[in-house]
């Protein structure tokens, strides 16, 4: 079975549409799932949710989704510095104000976690677990420098064994590492990458009885359109440059 996994769209409609076109062109995939954080930072929260609903894509709830759905006091995000923190509060306030009740209901109904069984639920073969952050909370950042012990603890909490795959997003930095035969995959970000590459990122995961294949893909999209729309909205201007740079500015 071959799946496309896309995370952290963050209200970036042109990026999502480009990834959708890329995925539909391939015609070799058995399923497509998102890993949450559909809204925040860009001006198309309702349109992104509509696009995913029309496409028929299901997925899990990111911290931005669950906090917007619950009118929580902040988005549960971590920031690179004080400036980014302040901008993040502005983004969250803007998103809460512009998210229509239908979108909020959609976000609130997303499950915390999805389990896939590529060989079928009647077989004990490999499983694929999808979460936004970790199996415990969608706000915890599972970065590449987390020690093997952390990964194995999370895998144990999720009830995983060798040959299984757990995929997550949240950090906007793609990586993959096998530990004790379990595959840990961060799928990066469609709409707000932080690895210095502005292109929309997603992952194609192939799972069979004895094989796990992971392919990281990047798709060009009309980043100028996204930048223009951010500038024309009341979102912080900095978010436009963030998209072009593929991450935060270098520390002063
Ligand atoms: Fe995110």
């Amino acid at each position: 079975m071959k799946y496309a996994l896309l995370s952290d769209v963050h209200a970036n409609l042109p990026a999502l549409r480009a990834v959708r076109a890329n995925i539909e062109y391939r015609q070799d995939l058995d399923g497509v799932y998102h890993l949450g954080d559909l809204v925040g930072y860009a001006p198309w929260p309702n349109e992104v949710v509509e696009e995913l609903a029309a496409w028929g894509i299901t997925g899990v709830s990111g911290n931005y989704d669950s906090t917007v759905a619950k009118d929580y006091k902040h988005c549960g995000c971590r920031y690179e510095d004080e400036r980014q923190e302040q901008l993040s509060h502005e983004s969250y306030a803007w998103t809460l104000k512009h998210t229509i009740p239908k979108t909020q209901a959609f976000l609130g109904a997303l499950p915390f976690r999805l389990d896939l069984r590529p060989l079928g639920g009647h077989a004990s073969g490999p499983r694929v677990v999808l979460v936004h952050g970790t199996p415990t909370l969608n706000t915890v950042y599972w970065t590449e420098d987390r020690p093997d012990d952390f990964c194995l603890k999370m895998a144990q909490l999720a009830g995983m064994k060798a040959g299984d795959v757990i995929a997550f997003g949240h950090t906007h930095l793609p990586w993959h590492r096998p530990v004790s035969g379990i595959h840990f995959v961060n799928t990066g970000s469609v709409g707000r990458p932080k690895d210095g590459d502005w292109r929309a990122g997603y992952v194609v995961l192939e799972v069979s009885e004895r094989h796990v294949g992971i392919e990281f893909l990047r798709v060009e999209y009309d980043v100028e359109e996204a930048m223009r729309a951010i500038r024309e909205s009341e979102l912080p201007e900095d978010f436009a440059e963030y998209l072009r740079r593929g991450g935060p500015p270098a520390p002063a």
Side-chain angles (χ1 to χ4, degrees):
M1 293 289 280
K2 229 172 174 180
Y3 306 104
L5 304 177
L6 39 134
S7 193
D8 295 270
V9 176
H10 280 300
N12 187 338
L13 189 65
L16 175 62
R17 285 189 168 152
V19 166
R20 180 180 180 180
N22 191 274
I23 286 171
E24 288 181 337
Y25 180 76
R26 296 177 61 109
Q27 295 186 334
D28 64 338
L29 298 168
D30 300 297
V32 184
Y33 298 91
H34 73 77
L35 304 187
D37 269 9
L38 304 179
V39 301
Y41 302 108
W44 293 286
N46 304 307
E47 293 84 349
V48 157
V49 162
E50 260 175 40
E51 179 87 13
L52 289 169
W55 190 8
I57 301 308
T58 188
V60 299
S61 173
N63 55 296
Y64 229 108
D65 309 315
S66 59
T67 53
V68 165
K70 300 282 181 210
D71 276 328
Y72 193 59
K73 55 184 182 292
H74 58 72
C75 63
C77 314
R78 192 176 67 192
Y79 318 100
E80 290 87 7
D81 53 47
E82 272 180 33
R83 168 95 180 129
Q84 294 302 322
E85 178 170 0
Q86 188 212 327
L87 296 177
S88 240
H89 290 317
E90 288 177 37
S91 159
Y92 188 62
W94 187 98
T95 302
L96 275 184
K97 188 175 158 194
H98 291 87
T99 301
I100 62 173
K102 193 177 163 195
T103 300
Q104 225 173 353
F106 181 98
L107 298 175
L110 291 171
F112 177 81
R113 161 181 164 172
L114 283 175
D115 284 22
L116 311 177
R117 290 289 184 109
L119 304 184
H122 55 281
S124 63
R127 81 178 80 179
V128 178
V129 172
L130 309 178
V131 291
H132 178 69
T134 68
T136 55
L137 286 171
N138 61 18
T139 49
V140 177
Y141 287 81
W142 197 340
T143 47
E144 193 170 6
D145 59 0
R146 292 273 196 184
D148 288 357
D149 283 356
F150 178 90
C151 297
L152 292 174
K153 188 179 167 198
M154 290 299 143
Q156 190 189 10
L157 286 168
M160 306 184 71
K161 58 180 176 24
D164 291 349
V165 180
I166 179 164
F168 43 92
H170 189 42
T171 68
H172 303 202
L173 296 165
W175 58 272
H176 163 232
R177 180 160 107 236
V179 181
S180 299
I182 301 170
H183 291 266
F184 300 90
V185 187
N186 191 310
T187 59
S189 171
V190 170
R192 192 171 153 90
K194 294 186 180 179
D195 60 354
D197 183 344
W198 62 272
R199 296 171 302 166
Y202 75 98
V203 157
V204 168
L205 170 68
E206 189 172 12
V207 183
S208 63
E209 202 159 358
R210 299 188 187 285
H211 169 77
V212 171
I214 291 147
E215 196 186 348
F216 290 96
L217 295 115
R218 299 307 276 255
V219 179
E220 292 193 5
Y221 73 98
D222 192 346
V223 70
E224 296 292 338
E225 182 191 354
M227 293 172 70
R228 203 162 44 242
I230 287 169
R231 290 196 177 111
E232 285 169 5
S233 75
E234 286 163 355
L235 281 163
E237 162 101 17
D238 298 46
F239 292 170
E241 275 308 312
Y242 199 108
L243 290 188
R244 194 210 299 273
R245 234 178 357 246

